[in-house]
Amino acid sequence: MPGDSPVPATRRPLGSAELEDVLVESFSASLARLGSYESLTLEIGTSWAPRDGGLLCRFSVRCLLYDAELVGGEEEKKEQHLLARMMYGIVCEYELEESDRELLPDLEPEVVGAFTQEVALPTAFPYIREAIGCMSARLGFPGVTLGTFRAGPLA
């Protein structure tokens, strides 16, 4: 909801942020065993760091494919049902106007974190989606397609 953001509505810090580049930092996949893909788990970690003239928003993605639909308390079964493990690191580089560059060191981490979640993650998600689809197909699991991005906090 619009009122739930820790970013003040009056003057939105980082409002001058302009996407400069999207870079892959890491890319790996491993096949545990062959089988029929039934479910996946997707974890996306976020972090950010100032850079000369801007901001870097990093996303660490971990996707696991399973041969069964696992629910709730089946943690101990996950390893025996694991088919593949995929890891992906992506960075969005943002250029900032001088006013926002000066403001960045004084911003609360929650404000920059909100920018990372609300602006940078929707930008990065199509790249994440494409990477998971390509990596899984090369591992022998065609048809693994993540849904489209839905705004909201990461689980």
Side-chain angles (χ1 to χ4, degrees):
M1 295 188 75
D4 294 340
S5 175
V7 180
T10 52
R11 161 70 170 100
R12 192 154 179 94
L14 306 176
S16 74
E18 187 172 316
L19 183 66
E20 188 173 282
D21 209 350
V22 178
L23 305 166
V24 173
E25 277 192 322
S26 60
F27 194 89
S28 69
S30 61
L31 180 66
R33 63 187 179 78
L34 292 174
S36 180
Y37 151 76
E38 292 293 325
S39 65
L40 66 81
T41 60
L42 180 69
E43 299 167 4
I44 303 175
T46 64
S47 65
W48 60 270
R51 72 161 179 96
D52 217 15
L55 178 67
L56 297 176
C57 298
R58 286 190 164 85
F59 303 95
S60 301
V61 180
R62 181 175 180 240
C63 182
L64 305 175
L65 299 182
Y66 299 100
D67 66 357
E69 191 70 43
L70 302 175
V71 290
E74 297 187 82
E75 290 295 320
E76 68 281 351
K77 291 184 180 178
K78 283 190 174 182
E79 200 59 37
Q80 75 186 41
H81 289 283
L82 182 66
L83 296 172
R85 182 178 286 112
M86 295 171 277
M87 310 293 266
Y88 184 58
I90 187 171
V91 177
C92 293
E93 290 186 4
Y94 288 90
E95 183 72 30
L96 300 175
E97 289 181 3
E98 188 65 36
S99 60
D100 277 338
R101 273 186 244 154
E102 292 170 1
L103 184 66
L104 189 59
D106 298 324
L107 286 177
E108 296 291 324
E110 294 81 20
V111 173
V112 184
F115 174 86
T116 301
Q117 294 260 344
E118 297 171 11
V119 177
L121 181 56
T123 300
F125 196 78
Y127 296 91
I128 294 168
R129 186 175 190 255
E130 192 269 340
I132 297 300
C134 286
M135 282 192 283
S136 60
R138 289 184 180 267
L139 289 171
F141 303 102
V144 176
T145 304
L146 301 178
T148 56
F149 180 79
R150 296 191 193 282
L154 292 175

